[in-house]
Amino acid sequence: MDALDQIKLTYNYDHSCYYDENNKIRFDPPVYEQRYLIVLRLLELEFWKQNFKKIVEFGCAEMKFFTLLKTVPGVRQILQVDIDEELLTKWNHSVRPLFMEYIQRRLTELSVEVWRGSISAFHECLKDTDVVIGIEIIEHLFPEVLEGVPHNVFGCIRPKVAMFSTPNSEYNVHFDGLLENGFRHEDHKFEWTRAQFREWCEHICQRYPDYTVKYFGIGPPPKNSADVGYVSQLAVFVRKDFLQTLVAATVEQHANENEEHTVANGNEENAVASGNEEHAVANRNEGNAAASVPESAEGSINEEAEKVPKMYFDEDVGEIVMVREESEEAVEASVEGTNAPVCANDFDDNDLLHEEADISSDHDEPNGRDIDFYIPIERSRNDSGNYDDEPLDPSSDEYKLLYTVDYPVVEPDIRNRSQKLTDDAMYQIRKLRYNNEDQFYNYEDHLYRIPLQLVIDCMSLTTNIEELKPILVNVLLQISDDNIIVLQGDESGSESEEDFEYDLNEGSPHGEDNDHPQGPVNAKNDESNKEVAFQNDVELWD
């Protein structure tokens, strides 16, 4: 199987395109949401998701995508880079930890940096980057800036994966409100057809042969208009050595699984053989010769051993690999990948919303249902932050750190297993004691009796009575021989505070003898008291 075939989406938005009552094309969810979520889902592929520690997003603008980007499994550092310093300063609060993230802290570290800089210029902060993302940015770049992008990204940064998306100009025939030059946005310097975009990508792969590329579509075409392609086109560049490492790891994993399966079958065969041998010995003792059974079992073991996959050490990848029952050409193709770009515009699943949405890449109104993350509604400007009508001065390529923040992380748990079990058990005992009082409390001897096994069943940690009982006894808990936890209760009973609440109708606490109910005399005294209090108030204010 081609290594690039594992880079795929498990669902799509192929039915998200429709026409409204005015016969204008609409998308639900809007296209910009589809861009964000498709890039996110590609980063979350099981095939490679734990390999991305450092991610750089160019053209981040108001940093809307960051809300989703920080959820990528295993990410430790995120850089938000844009050319517009004023905009980044205004929106740097978007990357700050939320209040909730101080309460429910991350299990792993996350450092976020906001940089003012150009996508065509290299800086020390870009070293050791695993993923480069450029969503709808290249069409905003001047020719001289765009020309420097491949060298900076693929020659200097050299990430494991790079993703770039750009509008598909062939789709514009379905859009109203285009500019006079036929573009969708006034800041666009160009809009490419699918062939032009592929030519740019293939030229990058020829210039930097360490990379291969695969294509995806974002924003499906209307019904019966598949010839125009998708609204946006996404190219996923992957470094070949990284891809080969993933393939080798996958082969090794499959080999280990097959080996475990073979060992399990061998153990089962041995058990059958042992049983047959014992049966044969018993028959011999009884005078029944049945020595042929173990030989049959031995033959089954030999047949099973022949099924074990052949393995050898491959010096090229430095791993033990399994020999597959295929031709050598097929195996080499699956390991080495291919330089030829592969197109995969077709997806497999449908995830639809049902409210109207705009198709503009910069002014789409999101619909948040069926989406796990909050995506802000308004996008006030283009993705690149480039408002200039003239090429930027070369000095503006200089990088400048504007903001940095470290996310709160769960403090390391330095407790040993005994302490963890004690804390977990005591917590569950308290819950059972106070939430199930009628079940465990004895009012005659004022004792709680809670089964130890019930506590174990409620615990989050896995343990057993033999391990937990001595630990709890060591913290002075009384546990009977039949494994019942005995706790001292209140000798006065388990009366709650409700037993002492005042009865508003009677004016006295529950449980007290009301020997002097309120009568006419008491009522008269109350009236007198009120008159005295009123007189005192009058004197005070006078």
Side-chain angles (χ1 to χ4, degrees):
M1 182 180 66
D2 193 328
L4 286 176
D5 290 341
Q6 300 193 51
I7 306 173
K8 59 184 178 181
L9 292 170
T10 57
Y11 69 96
N12 60 41
Y13 298 100
D14 279 352
H15 300 282
S16 62
C17 177
Y18 69 97
Y19 286 94
D20 63 10
E21 63 277 5
N22 298 321
N23 202 32
K24 291 186 176 181
I25 197 169
R26 293 290 183 265
F27 297 88
D28 191 0
V31 176
Y32 86 91
E33 277 190 20
Q34 296 185 32
R35 293 191 195 101
Y36 286 171
L37 293 175
I38 285 178
V39 171
L40 178 67
R41 298 312 178 197
L42 287 173
L43 293 174
E44 291 177 337
L45 289 177
E46 192 69 29
F47 181 53
W48 59 18
K49 66 180 182 181
Q50 295 297 337
N51 291 275
F52 305 140
K53 308 300 182 185
K54 182 177 181 179
I55 300 177
V56 175
E57 182 191 5
F58 287 106
C60 60
E62 301 99 331
M63 294 168 275
K64 307 297 186 185
F65 186 42
F66 174 80
T67 304
L68 309 183
L69 200 56
K70 66 183 178 181
T71 67
V72 174
V75 65
R76 298 290 190 276
Q77 187 177 12
I78 298 176
L79 269 62
Q80 299 282 273
V81 183
D82 199 284
I83 201 66
D84 192 331
E85 180 176 348
E86 181 179 355
L87 188 74
L88 293 176
T89 303
K90 177 181 178 181
W91 289 94
N92 63 23
H93 63 84
S94 301
V95 302
R96 297 174 185 172
L98 303 175
F99 177 75
M100 174 192 66
E101 290 170 312
Y102 284 95
I103 299 176
Q104 187 174 355
R105 303 191 171 201
R106 296 176 59 93
L107 299 178
T108 58
E109 297 178 354
L110 176 61
S111 174
V112 183
E113 298 177 1
V114 179
W115 287 84
R116 185 258 185 224
S118 172
I119 188 175
S120 62
F122 183 74
H123 187 268
E124 294 293 322
C125 69
L126 303 176
K127 284 185 176 181
D128 301 321
T129 296
D130 296 313
V131 180
V132 166
I133 298 174
I135 301 177
E136 306 292 288
I137 180 177
I138 60 176
E139 67 273 10
H140 294 276
L141 305 177
F142 289 101
E144 54 269 33
V145 178
L146 179 64
E147 185 178 354
V149 170
H151 172 70
N152 185 39
V153 174
F154 302 98
C156 299
I157 302 175
R158 299 192 74 253
K160 297 174 181 176
V161 175
M163 300 185 186
F164 288 97
S165 73
T166 191
N168 170 23
S169 63
E170 298 173 67
Y171 205 103
N172 289 353
V173 295
H174 293 289
F175 290 155
D176 295 331
L178 297 174
L179 301 178
E180 293 182 359
N181 58 4
F183 291 168
R184 305 178 191 177
H185 193 277
E186 59 184 5
D187 189 58
H188 286 183
K189 307 304 184 292
F190 60 85
E191 290 183 3
W192 281 338
T193 64
R194 286 171 291 174
Q196 290 173 320
F197 182 55
R198 291 198 182 196
E199 181 182 359
W200 183 73
C201 295
E202 291 173 8
H203 178 71
I204 290 176
C205 291
Q206 293 172 3
R207 185 178 174 183
Y208 302 95
D210 292 340
Y211 284 87
T212 184
V213 65
K214 184 171 183 176
Y215 301 97
F216 294 90
I218 304 173
K223 188 177 182 180
N224 302 324
S225 299
D227 57 316
V228 300
Y230 287 70
V231 177
S232 286
Q233 41 199 341
L234 173 67
V236 180
F237 296 88
V238 186
R239 210 174 64 208
K240 290 181 181 179
D241 62 336
F242 171 63
L243 194 60
Q244 291 173 4
T245 302
L246 295 176
V247 172
T250 303
V251 171
E252 182 180 3
Q253 180 181 358
H254 290 166
N256 293 335
E257 292 175 354
N258 291 336
E259 184 178 357
E260 292 175 359
H261 180 69
T262 301
V263 170
N265 289 340
N267 292 336
E268 183 178 352
E269 292 288 345
N270 290 334
V272 173
S274 177
N276 291 336
E277 185 175 356
E278 292 175 359
H279 180 69
V281 171
N283 288 340
R284 284 197 302 269
N285 293 335
E286 296 174 2
N288 299 325
S292 60
V293 175
E295 296 178 0
S296 174
E298 183 178 357
S300 299
I301 297 175
N302 293 334
E303 293 177 1
E304 190 65 33
E306 293 178 357
K307 298 180 182 179
V308 178
K310 298 180 180 179
M311 303 173 64
Y312 69 98
F313 181 81
D314 191 332
E315 296 181 355
D316 294 336
V317 299
E319 299 286 349
I320 297 177
V321 298
M322 178 180 64
V323 178
R324 301 165 62 180
E325 297 181 357
E326 297 179 2
S327 63
E328 295 182 1
E329 293 77 10
V331 175
E332 292 176 358
S334 65
V335 175
E336 296 179 2
T338 177
N339 291 333
V342 180
C343 178
N345 285 335
D346 296 328
F347 308 127
D348 302 318
D349 188 23
N350 297 319
D351 186 10
L352 306 178
L353 306 179
H354 305 285
E355 291 187 6
E356 179 176 325
D358 195 0
I359 51 82
S360 170
S361 63
D362 298 304
H363 302 283
D364 292 334
E365 296 295 328
N367 185 311
R369 296 180 306 166
D370 293 352
I371 297 177
D372 298 331
F373 309 97
Y374 169 73
I375 301 178
I377 294 179
E378 182 179 0
R379 301 187 73 202
S380 61
R381 55 171 292 274
N382 61 73
D383 291 324
S384 70
N386 181 7
Y387 289 109
D388 300 329
D389 294 327
E390 299 296 334
L392 296 175
D393 186 82
S395 62
S396 64
D397 289 345
E398 182 179 354
Y399 273 65
K400 179 180 179 182
L401 180 61
L402 303 179
Y403 181 75
T404 181
V405 62
D406 293 328
Y407 271 58
V409 183
V410 174
E411 295 183 1
D413 191 349
I414 59 176
R415 298 175 298 166
N416 57 35
R417 177 167 175 80
S418 177
Q419 293 171 329
K420 292 179 180 179
L421 289 173
T422 301
D423 293 341
D424 194 354
M426 296 302 294
Y427 172 71
Q428 299 300 336
I429 291 173
R430 286 193 296 269
K431 284 182 61 178
L432 292 171
R433 175 177 178 176
Y434 294 112
N435 294 340
N436 304 86
E437 180 177 313
D438 295 338
Q439 181 179 356
F440 303 117
Y441 187 74
N442 189 308
Y443 290 89
E444 295 180 357
D445 54 13
H446 308 295
L447 295 176
Y448 289 91
R449 291 179 172 84
I450 303 175
L452 179 58
Q453 185 59 52
L454 178 60
V455 175
I456 293 175
D457 294 340
C458 296
M459 292 173 60
S460 59
L461 296 175
T462 302
T463 184
N464 52 47
I465 292 179
E466 290 72 18
E467 180 185 18
L468 184 62
K469 184 175 181 179
I471 294 176
L472 296 183
V473 171
N474 193 43
V475 295
L476 304 181
L477 276 186
Q478 181 182 351
I479 303 178
S480 63
D481 294 338
D482 54 350
N483 297 320
I484 301 296
I485 301 173
V486 181
L487 303 174
Q488 186 67 38
D490 186 0
E491 294 184 1
S492 61
S494 58
E495 296 175 341
S496 64
E497 294 181 359
E498 294 179 355
D499 296 330
F500 299 95
E501 289 183 355
Y502 282 86
D503 189 328
L504 298 179
N505 295 327
E506 299 296 335
S508 62
H510 292 292
E512 292 184 8
D513 293 335
N514 205 354
D515 297 335
H516 303 286
Q518 183 174 350
V521 176
N522 292 336
K524 183 176 180 181
N525 291 337
D526 289 343
E527 292 295 332
S528 301
N529 293 336
K530 291 180 181 178
E531 291 179 2
V532 172
F534 177 76
Q535 292 175 0
N536 292 337
D537 289 342
V538 173
E539 293 176 358
L540 176 65
W541 288 105
D542 287 345

